[in-house]
Amino acid sequence: YVHIVVSSVAGDSVELRVKSASSVKEVKLMVAEILQIPPLCQTLLLDEQSLKDDAEICTYCQDATHMHKLDLIVCYDAVYDSLEECGCHASKTIEALAALAQIAERGHERAIVACCKWLGSTSEDIRNAALQTLTFVYSPEDPRAASLAKSLLNNSSPGVRRSAIQALSQVADSGDLHVLHQIAECLGDECLEVREAVGKALLAIA
């Protein structure tokens, strides 16, 4: 086992006893559970050296009898940077969307745009993650989320159209006749799953 103390610039401190073979990413997950800071936003430093996520903690902290002091640098922009990368692995995008739900304030434009961008993903898992995050970041008083979702209703992918309809059912105002009309136009969609989403959305908004 290795004893470490993780301290942030803000004055937060976490003392941990971890297995020597634990990865740095696993240490970040422990810190996240206590300080509510997503691992994606964390950089751990030992004597100004940045610790790599996939490395074992014993690579940096070899003396099991010593209390190792790590500095924690928090950068929320790392979440947005990940979401703006189009070629990253799906699991990384899903992790970034989950982190976004945790850190973004409701109505934050950059967060809403990021969610709606990934509603257009070819991956159903990513679209579902974007839908879930959208419920945390949109503001009922802000029409941007609904506007961005409506722009996907004519997408060539049935999965994207379904996700757009599901998003509208979550963010549109109850009784919004304009949104109801646009969703109703999708009742003739060639895809059964899209038509089923339309039915549920109409019930949710009406």
Side-chain angles (χ1 to χ4, degrees):
Y1 283 87
V2 174
H3 289 83
I4 59 177
V5 174
V6 180
S7 301
S8 72
V9 176
D12 297 313
S13 183
V14 177
E15 184 174 335
L16 299 171
R17 182 172 180 266
V18 301
K19 292 181 179 179
S20 299
S22 298
S23 68
V24 172
K25 180 63 176 288
E26 289 173 325
V27 173
K28 288 183 177 181
L29 288 169
M30 296 177 197
V31 173
E33 188 173 346
I34 297 170
L35 298 183
Q36 301 302 305
I37 300 171
L40 198 57
C41 303
Q42 300 178 34
T43 297
L44 294 178
L45 302 175
L46 177 63
D47 297 329
E48 299 185 357
Q49 179 186 9
S50 179
L51 280 57
K52 296 182 179 179
D53 279 359
D54 56 355
E56 294 182 350
I57 193 66
C58 63
T59 305
Y60 306 99
C61 306
Q62 298 176 352
D63 187 351
T65 64
H66 181 67
M67 178 70 79
H68 300 274
K69 296 182 179 180
L70 305 182
D71 294 318
L72 170 63
I73 306 298
V74 179
C75 178
Y76 293 125
D77 280 345
V79 173
Y80 291 103
D81 291 343
S82 293
L83 291 173
E84 288 167 4
E85 293 177 15
C86 293
C88 62
H89 196 275
S91 61
K92 185 176 180 181
T93 301
I94 292 170
E95 180 186 1
L97 285 164
L100 186 63
Q102 191 173 346
I103 67 169
E105 295 181 359
R106 279 198 176 275
H108 192 284
E109 181 177 6
R110 195 177 180 189
I112 293 170
V113 170
C115 283
C116 291
K117 167 192 171 181
W118 288 107
L119 283 176
S121 171
T122 56
S123 164
E124 183 175 3
D125 289 338
I126 290 178
R127 293 197 305 272
N128 288 339
L131 269 173
Q132 186 172 359
T133 299
L134 187 61
T135 63
F136 288 96
V137 302
Y138 91 98
S139 172
E141 295 79 26
D142 191 333
R144 283 174 296 187
S147 178
L148 289 167
K150 283 188 287 187
S151 70
L152 297 173
L153 289 176
N154 294 319
N155 192 279
S156 60
S157 166
V160 172
R161 297 197 298 274
R162 185 183 73 236
S163 293
I165 291 165
Q166 291 171 329
L168 283 171
S169 72
Q170 294 176 358
V171 305
D173 291 333
S174 178
D176 188 321
L177 295 178
H178 181 63
V179 172
L180 285 168
H181 176 70
Q182 287 191 295
I183 292 177
E185 288 182 340
C186 299
L187 282 169
D189 196 283
E190 61 186 19
C191 176
L192 175 60
E193 290 181 343
V194 172
R195 297 197 301 273
E196 290 175 342
V198 169
K200 292 178 182 177
L202 292 174
L203 288 173
I205 301 172

mmCIF file of all heavy atoms in Angstrom, residues 110-149:
data_model
loop_
_atom_site.group_PDB
_atom_site.id
_atom_site.type_symbol
_atom_site.label_atom_id
_atom_site.label_comp_id
_atom_site.label_asym_id
_atom_site.label_seq_id
_atom_site.Cartn_x
_atom_site.Cartn_y
_atom_site.Cartn_z
ATOM 1 N N ARG A 110 -22.304 27.137 -23.563
ATOM 2 C CA ARG A 110 -21.316 26.193 -24.088
ATOM 3 C C ARG A 110 -21.694 24.750 -23.757
ATOM 4 O O ARG A 110 -21.490 23.843 -24.560
ATOM 5 C CB ARG A 110 -19.934 26.526 -23.504
ATOM 6 C CG ARG A 110 -18.780 25.851 -24.230
ATOM 7 C CD ARG A 110 -17.446 26.277 -23.648
ATOM 8 N NE ARG A 110 -16.343 25.638 -24.325
ATOM 9 C CZ ARG A 110 -15.082 25.701 -23.908
ATOM 10 N NH1 ARG A 110 -14.776 26.401 -22.823
ATOM 11 N NH2 ARG A 110 -14.117 25.072 -24.564
ATOM 12 N N ALA A 111 -22.281 24.540 -22.569
ATOM 13 C CA ALA A 111 -22.699 23.199 -22.166
ATOM 14 C C ALA A 111 -23.873 22.712 -23.014
ATOM 15 O O ALA A 111 -23.918 21.554 -23.450
ATOM 16 C CB ALA A 111 -23.074 23.193 -20.685
ATOM 17 N N ILE A 112 -24.830 23.594 -23.259
ATOM 18 C CA ILE A 112 -25.999 23.230 -24.066
ATOM 19 C C ILE A 112 -25.583 22.890 -25.490
ATOM 20 O O ILE A 112 -26.029 21.885 -26.070
ATOM 21 C CB ILE A 112 -27.028 24.379 -24.066
ATOM 22 C CG1 ILE A 112 -27.621 24.546 -22.667
ATOM 23 C CG2 ILE A 112 -28.142 24.105 -25.078
ATOM 24 C CD1 ILE A 112 -28.459 25.800 -22.509
ATOM 25 N N VAL A 113 -24.716 23.702 -26.060
ATOM 26 C CA VAL A 113 -24.244 23.464 -27.430
ATOM 27 C C VAL A 113 -23.501 22.136 -27.514
ATOM 28 O O VAL A 113 -23.675 21.364 -28.466
ATOM 29 C CB VAL A 113 -23.341 24.624 -27.896
ATOM 30 C CG1 VAL A 113 -22.644 24.273 -29.210
ATOM 31 C CG2 VAL A 113 -24.150 25.898 -28.069
ATOM 32 N N ALA A 114 -22.684 21.837 -26.501
ATOM 33 C CA ALA A 114 -21.930 20.582 -26.494
ATOM 34 C C ALA A 114 -22.863 19.377 -26.450
ATOM 35 O O ALA A 114 -22.681 18.399 -27.177
ATOM 36 C CB ALA A 114 -20.971 20.554 -25.304
ATOM 37 N N CYS A 115 -23.891 19.450 -25.597
ATOM 38 C CA CYS A 115 -24.858 18.348 -25.502
ATOM 39 C C CYS A 115 -25.575 18.129 -26.828
ATOM 40 O O CYS A 115 -25.692 16.994 -27.310
ATOM 41 C CB CYS A 115 -25.879 18.636 -24.408
ATOM 42 S SG CYS A 115 -25.288 18.372 -22.751
ATOM 43 N N CYS A 116 -26.070 19.196 -27.402
ATOM 44 C CA CYS A 116 -26.852 19.072 -28.634
ATOM 45 C C CYS A 116 -25.986 18.624 -29.802
ATOM 46 O O CYS A 116 -26.457 17.942 -30.714
ATOM 47 C CB CYS A 116 -27.549 20.389 -28.949
ATOM 48 S SG CYS A 116 -28.868 20.766 -27.762
ATOM 49 N N LYS A 117 -24.710 18.990 -29.773
ATOM 50 C CA LYS A 117 -23.788 18.505 -30.812
ATOM 51 C C LYS A 117 -23.739 16.987 -30.790
ATOM 52 O O LYS A 117 -23.814 16.332 -31.833
ATOM 53 C CB LYS A 117 -22.389 19.073 -30.567
ATOM 54 C CG LYS A 117 -21.299 18.390 -31.398
ATOM 55 C CD LYS A 117 -19.912 18.777 -30.928
ATOM 56 C CE LYS A 117 -18.852 17.930 -31.618
ATOM 57 N NZ LYS A 117 -17.477 18.253 -31.177
ATOM 58 N N TRP A 118 -23.629 16.420 -29.591
ATOM 59 C CA TRP A 118 -23.493 14.961 -29.484
ATOM 60 C C TRP A 118 -24.824 14.232 -29.598
ATOM 61 O O TRP A 118 -24.850 13.007 -29.722
ATOM 62 C CB TRP A 118 -22.749 14.602 -28.200
ATOM 63 C CG TRP A 118 -21.301 14.969 -28.308
ATOM 64 C CD1 TRP A 118 -20.653 15.997 -27.685
ATOM 65 C CD2 TRP A 118 -20.312 14.335 -29.124
ATOM 66 N NE1 TRP A 118 -19.336 16.041 -28.059
ATOM 67 C CE2 TRP A 118 -19.097 15.034 -28.942
ATOM 68 C CE3 TRP A 118 -20.341 13.244 -29.991
ATOM 69 C CZ2 TRP A 118 -17.923 14.686 -29.600
ATOM 70 C CZ3 TRP A 118 -19.172 12.881 -30.651
ATOM 71 C CH2 TRP A 118 -17.978 13.595 -30.446
ATOM 72 N N LEU A 119 -25.941 14.963 -29.588
ATOM 73 C CA LEU A 119 -27.220 14.331 -29.938
ATOM 74 C C LEU A 119 -27.200 13.866 -31.390
ATOM 75 O O LEU A 119 -27.975 12.999 -31.785
ATOM 76 C CB LEU A 119 -28.375 15.315 -29.741
ATOM 77 C CG LEU A 119 -28.849 15.584 -28.316
ATOM 78 C CD1 LEU A 119 -29.922 16.655 -28.326
ATOM 79 C CD2 LEU A 119 -29.368 14.305 -27.666
ATOM 80 N N GLY A 120 -26.316 14.449 -32.177
ATOM 81 C CA GLY A 120 -26.182 14.076 -33.585
ATOM 82 C C GLY A 120 -25.152 12.997 -33.841
ATOM 83 O O GLY A 120 -24.816 12.717 -34.996
ATOM 84 N N SER A 121 -24.674 12.365 -32.784
ATOM 85 C CA SER A 121 -23.665 11.315 -32.931
ATOM 86 C C SER A 121 -24.257 10.056 -33.572
ATOM 87 O O SER A 121 -25.442 9.756 -33.431
ATOM 88 C CB SER A 121 -23.082 10.965 -31.556
ATOM 89 O OG SER A 121 -22.261 9.817 -31.631
ATOM 90 N N THR A 122 -23.410 9.308 -34.246
ATOM 91 C CA THR A 122 -23.842 8.025 -34.817
ATOM 92 C C THR A 122 -23.915 6.940 -33.746
ATOM 93 O O THR A 122 -24.463 5.864 -33.982
ATOM 94 C CB THR A 122 -22.869 7.567 -35.922
ATOM 95 O OG1 THR A 122 -21.531 7.502 -35.370
ATOM 96 C CG2 THR A 122 -22.885 8.546 -37.094
ATOM 97 N N SER A 123 -23.371 7.208 -32.568
ATOM 98 C CA SER A 123 -23.369 6.235 -31.471
ATOM 99 C C SER A 123 -24.595 6.445 -30.577
ATOM 100 O O SER A 123 -24.799 7.535 -30.033
ATOM 101 C CB SER A 123 -22.090 6.384 -30.629
ATOM 102 O OG SER A 123 -22.222 5.737 -29.381
ATOM 103 N N GLU A 124 -25.376 5.403 -30.409
ATOM 104 C CA GLU A 124 -26.565 5.506 -29.551
ATOM 105 C C GLU A 124 -26.172 5.753 -28.098
ATOM 106 O O GLU A 124 -26.844 6.495 -27.382
ATOM 107 C CB GLU A 124 -27.409 4.238 -29.659
ATOM 108 C CG GLU A 124 -28.698 4.304 -28.852
ATOM 109 C CD GLU A 124 -29.595 3.093 -29.045
ATOM 110 O OE1 GLU A 124 -29.185 2.155 -29.770
ATOM 111 O OE2 GLU A 124 -30.693 3.084 -28.469
ATOM 112 N N ASP A 125 -25.067 5.131 -27.655
ATOM 113 C CA ASP A 125 -24.619 5.322 -26.280
ATOM 114 C C ASP A 125 -24.263 6.781 -26.018
ATOM 115 O O ASP A 125 -24.575 7.338 -24.957
ATOM 116 C CB ASP A 125 -23.404 4.428 -25.983
ATOM 117 C CG ASP A 125 -23.773 2.953 -25.902
ATOM 118 O OD1 ASP A 125 -24.960 2.655 -25.653
ATOM 119 O OD2 ASP A 125 -22.878 2.105 -26.084
ATOM 120 N N ILE A 126 -23.605 7.408 -26.988
ATOM 121 C CA ILE A 126 -23.242 8.820 -26.833
ATOM 122 C C ILE A 126 -24.496 9.690 -26.839
ATOM 123 O O ILE A 126 -24.626 10.620 -26.031
ATOM 124 C CB ILE A 126 -22.266 9.261 -27.945
ATOM 125 C CG1 ILE A 126 -20.903 8.596 -27.737
ATOM 126 C CG2 ILE A 126 -22.120 10.789 -27.959
ATOM 127 C CD1 ILE A 126 -19.888 8.926 -28.818
ATOM 128 N N ARG A 127 -25.433 9.390 -27.750
ATOM 129 C CA ARG A 127 -26.674 10.180 -27.792
ATOM 130 C C ARG A 127 -27.431 10.070 -26.476
ATOM 131 O O ARG A 127 -27.965 11.068 -25.963
ATOM 132 C CB ARG A 127 -27.559 9.722 -28.960
ATOM 133 C CG ARG A 127 -26.994 10.015 -30.334
ATOM 134 C CD ARG A 127 -28.080 9.935 -31.408
ATOM 135 N NE ARG A 127 -28.789 8.662 -31.412
ATOM 136 C CZ ARG A 127 -28.394 7.584 -32.089
ATOM 137 N NH1 ARG A 127 -27.285 7.630 -32.807
ATOM 138 N NH2 ARG A 127 -29.107 6.474 -32.049
ATOM 139 N N ASN A 128 -27.477 8.871 -25.903
ATOM 140 C CA ASN A 128 -28.172 8.693 -24.625
ATOM 141 C C ASN A 128 -27.485 9.474 -23.513
ATOM 142 O O ASN A 128 -28.147 10.061 -22.643
ATOM 143 C CB ASN A 128 -28.231 7.207 -24.265
ATOM 144 C CG ASN A 128 -29.203 6.425 -25.134
ATOM 145 O OD1 ASN A 128 -30.100 7.011 -25.737
ATOM 146 N ND2 ASN A 128 -29.023 5.126 -25.223
ATOM 147 N N ALA A 129 -26.147 9.490 -23.541
ATOM 148 C CA ALA A 129 -25.409 10.259 -22.544
ATOM 149 C C ALA A 129 -25.668 11.751 -22.710
ATOM 150 O O ALA A 129 -25.818 12.487 -21.723
ATOM 151 C CB ALA A 129 -23.911 9.961 -22.662
ATOM 152 N N ALA A 130 -25.730 12.211 -23.961
ATOM 153 C CA ALA A 130 -26.004 13.623 -24.226
ATOM 154 C C ALA A 130 -27.407 14.001 -23.765
ATOM 155 O O ALA A 130 -27.623 15.081 -23.192
ATOM 156 C CB ALA A 130 -25.842 13.908 -25.717
ATOM 157 N N LEU A 131 -28.364 13.107 -23.991
ATOM 158 C CA LEU A 131 -29.740 13.340 -23.528
ATOM 159 C C LEU A 131 -29.790 13.490 -22.017
ATOM 160 O O LEU A 131 -30.439 14.391 -21.484
ATOM 161 C CB LEU A 131 -30.635 12.172 -23.958
ATOM 162 C CG LEU A 131 -31.359 12.260 -25.286
ATOM 163 C CD1 LEU A 131 -32.042 10.934 -25.599
ATOM 164 C CD2 LEU A 131 -32.388 13.381 -25.268
ATOM 165 N N GLN A 132 -29.096 12.587 -21.326
ATOM 166 C CA GLN A 132 -29.115 12.610 -19.866
ATOM 167 C C GLN A 132 -28.474 13.896 -19.344
ATOM 168 O O GLN A 132 -28.987 14.528 -18.412
ATOM 169 C CB GLN A 132 -28.371 11.391 -19.326
ATOM 170 C CG GLN A 132 -28.452 11.254 -17.809
ATOM 171 C CD GLN A 132 -27.879 9.943 -17.321
ATOM 172 O OE1 GLN A 132 -27.435 9.109 -18.108
ATOM 173 N NE2 GLN A 132 -27.872 9.740 -16.019
ATOM 174 N N THR A 133 -27.365 14.298 -19.951
ATOM 175 C CA THR A 133 -26.679 15.503 -19.513
ATOM 176 C C THR A 133 -27.502 16.750 -19.811
ATOM 177 O O THR A 133 -27.516 17.709 -19.022
ATOM 178 C CB THR A 133 -25.295 15.604 -20.183
ATOM 179 O OG1 THR A 133 -24.507 14.475 -19.799
ATOM 180 C CG2 THR A 133 -24.568 16.881 -19.786
ATOM 181 N N LEU A 134 -28.204 16.742 -20.942
ATOM 182 C CA LEU A 134 -29.010 17.899 -21.323
ATOM 183 C C LEU A 134 -30.038 18.246 -20.254
ATOM 184 O O LEU A 134 -30.335 19.424 -20.013
ATOM 185 C CB LEU A 134 -29.695 17.641 -22.659
ATOM 186 C CG LEU A 134 -30.450 18.814 -23.289
ATOM 187 C CD1 LEU A 134 -29.493 19.976 -23.574
ATOM 188 C CD2 LEU A 134 -31.149 18.379 -24.578
ATOM 189 N N THR A 135 -30.573 17.231 -19.583
ATOM 190 C CA THR A 135 -31.573 17.486 -18.541
ATOM 191 C C THR A 135 -30.976 18.256 -17.364
ATOM 192 O O THR A 135 -31.695 18.916 -16.616
ATOM 193 C CB THR A 135 -32.188 16.169 -18.020
ATOM 194 O OG1 THR A 135 -31.165 15.375 -17.405
ATOM 195 C CG2 THR A 135 -32.810 15.370 -19.147
ATOM 196 N N PHE A 136 -29.648 18.182 -17.200
ATOM 197 C CA PHE A 136 -28.985 18.878 -16.097
ATOM 198 C C PHE A 136 -28.548 20.287 -16.472
ATOM 199 O O PHE A 136 -28.403 21.138 -15.585
ATOM 200 C CB PHE A 136 -27.753 18.095 -15.626
ATOM 201 C CG PHE A 136 -28.068 16.831 -14.883
ATOM 202 C CD1 PHE A 136 -28.095 15.613 -15.545
ATOM 203 C CD2 PHE A 136 -28.350 16.854 -13.526
ATOM 204 C CE1 PHE A 136 -28.382 14.439 -14.861
ATOM 205 C CE2 PHE A 136 -28.645 15.690 -12.828
ATOM 206 C CZ PHE A 136 -28.666 14.477 -13.510
ATOM 207 N N VAL A 137 -28.297 20.538 -17.765
ATOM 208 C CA VAL A 137 -27.668 21.809 -18.138
ATOM 209 C C VAL A 137 -28.610 22.808 -18.808
ATOM 210 O O VAL A 137 -28.303 24.002 -18.858
ATOM 211 C CB VAL A 137 -26.439 21.577 -19.054
ATOM 212 C CG1 VAL A 137 -25.423 20.684 -18.373
ATOM 213 C CG2 VAL A 137 -26.833 20.990 -20.398
ATOM 214 N N TYR A 138 -29.769 22.335 -19.326
ATOM 215 C CA TYR A 138 -30.655 23.293 -19.990
ATOM 216 C C TYR A 138 -31.429 24.093 -18.954
ATOM 217 O O TYR A 138 -31.639 23.661 -17.822
ATOM 218 C CB TYR A 138 -31.630 22.577 -20.938
ATOM 219 C CG TYR A 138 -32.937 22.173 -20.304
ATOM 220 C CD1 TYR A 138 -34.077 22.963 -20.464
ATOM 221 C CD2 TYR A 138 -33.044 21.024 -19.527
ATOM 222 C CE1 TYR A 138 -35.285 22.601 -19.877
ATOM 223 C CE2 TYR A 138 -34.232 20.661 -18.936
ATOM 224 C CZ TYR A 138 -35.351 21.456 -19.115
ATOM 225 O OH TYR A 138 -36.540 21.117 -18.518
ATOM 226 N N SER A 139 -31.847 25.281 -19.359
ATOM 227 C CA SER A 139 -32.675 26.122 -18.498
ATOM 228 C C SER A 139 -34.057 26.261 -19.131
ATOM 229 O O SER A 139 -34.162 26.554 -20.325
ATOM 230 C CB SER A 139 -32.050 27.507 -18.334
ATOM 231 O OG SER A 139 -32.927 28.372 -17.658
ATOM 232 N N PRO A 140 -35.124 26.041 -18.377
ATOM 233 C CA PRO A 140 -36.481 26.152 -18.926
ATOM 234 C C PRO A 140 -36.768 27.529 -19.537
ATOM 235 O O PRO A 140 -37.594 27.646 -20.441
ATOM 236 C CB PRO A 140 -37.382 25.898 -17.711
ATOM 237 C CG PRO A 140 -36.535 25.097 -16.773
ATOM 238 C CD PRO A 140 -35.142 25.619 -16.967
ATOM 239 N N GLU A 141 -36.052 28.548 -19.043
ATOM 240 C CA GLU A 141 -36.281 29.901 -19.559
ATOM 241 C C GLU A 141 -35.488 30.191 -20.830
ATOM 242 O O GLU A 141 -35.647 31.245 -21.443
ATOM 243 C CB GLU A 141 -35.903 30.947 -18.491
ATOM 244 C CG GLU A 141 -36.769 30.922 -17.232
ATOM 245 C CD GLU A 141 -36.371 29.805 -16.279
ATOM 246 O OE1 GLU A 141 -35.193 29.385 -16.320
ATOM 247 O OE2 GLU A 141 -37.238 29.350 -15.514
ATOM 248 N N ASP A 142 -34.631 29.256 -21.225
ATOM 249 C CA ASP A 142 -33.736 29.476 -22.363
ATOM 250 C C ASP A 142 -34.160 28.589 -23.535
ATOM 251 O O ASP A 142 -34.180 27.367 -23.409
ATOM 252 C CB ASP A 142 -32.299 29.140 -21.942
ATOM 253 C CG ASP A 142 -31.267 29.578 -22.963
ATOM 254 O OD1 ASP A 142 -31.608 29.659 -24.152
ATOM 255 O OD2 ASP A 142 -30.122 29.841 -22.571
ATOM 256 N N PRO A 143 -34.496 29.167 -24.687
ATOM 257 C CA PRO A 143 -34.986 28.379 -25.816
ATOM 258 C C PRO A 143 -33.899 27.714 -26.649
ATOM 259 O O PRO A 143 -34.192 26.993 -27.605
ATOM 260 C CB PRO A 143 -35.711 29.434 -26.662
ATOM 261 C CG PRO A 143 -34.955 30.697 -26.400
ATOM 262 C CD PRO A 143 -34.527 30.626 -24.958
ATOM 263 N N ARG A 144 -32.626 27.914 -26.306
ATOM 264 C CA ARG A 144 -31.555 27.420 -27.171
ATOM 265 C C ARG A 144 -31.529 25.899 -27.292
ATOM 266 O O ARG A 144 -31.295 25.357 -28.370
ATOM 267 C CB ARG A 144 -30.194 27.926 -26.669
ATOM 268 C CG ARG A 144 -29.918 29.376 -27.008
ATOM 269 C CD ARG A 144 -28.635 29.855 -26.360
ATOM 270 N NE ARG A 144 -28.736 29.840 -24.910
ATOM 271 C CZ ARG A 144 -27.805 30.334 -24.092
ATOM 272 N NH1 ARG A 144 -26.710 30.872 -24.612
ATOM 273 N NH2 ARG A 144 -27.949 30.308 -22.793
ATOM 274 N N ALA A 145 -31.762 25.205 -26.181
ATOM 275 C CA ALA A 145 -31.714 23.742 -26.223
ATOM 276 C C ALA A 145 -32.781 23.202 -27.175
ATOM 277 O O ALA A 145 -32.514 22.321 -27.996
ATOM 278 C CB ALA A 145 -31.906 23.162 -24.824
ATOM 279 N N ALA A 146 -34.003 23.743 -27.074
ATOM 280 C CA ALA A 146 -35.086 23.297 -27.960
ATOM 281 C C ALA A 146 -34.775 23.635 -29.408
ATOM 282 O O ALA A 146 -35.028 22.830 -30.317
ATOM 283 C CB ALA A 146 -36.403 23.944 -27.531
ATOM 284 N N SER A 147 -34.209 24.799 -29.638
ATOM 285 C CA SER A 147 -33.876 25.219 -30.994
ATOM 286 C C SER A 147 -32.836 24.309 -31.621
ATOM 287 O O SER A 147 -32.970 23.898 -32.788
ATOM 288 C CB SER A 147 -33.372 26.661 -30.979
ATOM 289 O OG SER A 147 -32.989 27.078 -32.277
ATOM 290 N N LEU A 148 -31.805 23.961 -30.851
ATOM 291 C CA LEU A 148 -30.758 23.087 -31.366
ATOM 292 C C LEU A 148 -31.289 21.672 -31.611
ATOM 293 O O LEU A 148 -30.916 21.020 -32.583
ATOM 294 C CB LEU A 148 -29.580 23.051 -30.392
ATOM 295 C CG LEU A 148 -28.750 24.343 -30.321
ATOM 296 C CD1 LEU A 148 -27.812 24.310 -29.115
ATOM 297 C CD2 LEU A 148 -27.943 24.516 -31.602
ATOM 298 N N ALA A 149 -32.169 21.204 -30.727
ATOM 299 C CA ALA A 149 -32.749 19.873 -30.907
ATOM 300 C C ALA A 149 -33.637 19.829 -32.147
ATOM 301 O O ALA A 149 -33.620 18.855 -32.911
ATOM 302 C CB ALA A 149 -33.545 19.475 -29.664
#
